[in-house]
Amino acid sequence: LAMSQSRYLPFGVLGKEGAGWSLPVCARFGRADKSSTQCFLLDKPQQTFAVDGGCADWLLPNADAAGYYRFSMADADFAALGKHVAVLSADEQMTYADAVSSGFHRGEVSPATLLGAMPALANSDMPQVATALLKDLQWMREHLATDTTRPALDVYAIALYSPRLKTLGLQRRAGEPAVSTNLRVRLAEFLALTVRDPGVRKELNRQ
């Protein structure tokens, strides 16, 4: 496992690199239907470590979301991890989403990788996880998409999130948990006001 450390700065922001840190890093490695964790001490700018059990199918460089750091990986590694988001804890799912988002802001994660990460996250029952990348998608449609590509981006977003809102319904149900109410509000606002889903807007006008 090859790792390096650097100060996190968004794309276009300049800053001096510090002296570095002695950073405990615990990673989760997935093989078939099992995963295991292994910890390392990253105390140099770049280091390579032996991984118990050899190469894994996927890895999460912040197991249990216990480390106070962000991480970035190649798009292919993000894609491999994205196929196994469902087996991660809610905290680990948030760490994954943050890594994709922060990498996108830094110019290290491609728009395609960010969009590819959204389906697995959208299925979460936790509002913070399910909607973690909505602001990035909104920025993408406003600043990267063109009049030609924006409708396709909106269709993609509607296909992901409209079924979730339909399952929740537009009216609060008696005894429903607060997370369901929170998720409904976030999804309704995004679908109605950002991507302007005709079906959602029509139903809201009937309320």
Side-chain angles (χ1 to χ4, degrees), residues 88-95 124 126 129:
L88 304 179
S89 68
D91 287 340
E92 289 178 329
Q93 290 175 356
M94 279 301 303
T95 296
S124 174
M126 295 296 295
V129 175

Side-chain angles (χ1 to χ4, degrees), residues 105-118:
H105 294 172
R106 197 171 185 175
E108 297 175 344
V109 169
S110 68
T113 296
L114 187 141
L115 292 174
M118 296 184 73

Side-chain angles (χ1 to χ4, degrees), residues 121-156:
L121 296 171
N123 290 326
S124 174
D125 292 328
M126 295 296 295
Q128 300 92 330
V129 175
T131 63
L133 299 179
L134 288 190
K135 288 185 178 179
D136 295 316
L137 186 145
Q138 185 173 354
W139 185 92
M140 193 183 300
R141 72 183 299 278
E142 291 177 358
H143 300 284
L144 295 183
T146 66
D147 291 341
T148 301
T149 60
R150 190 172 294 109
L153 193 60
D154 290 347
V155 167
Y156 179 75

Side-chain angles (χ1 to χ4, degrees), residues 77 100 134 165 175 186:
D77 292 324
V100 173
L134 288 190
L165 183 59
R186 294 184 187 210

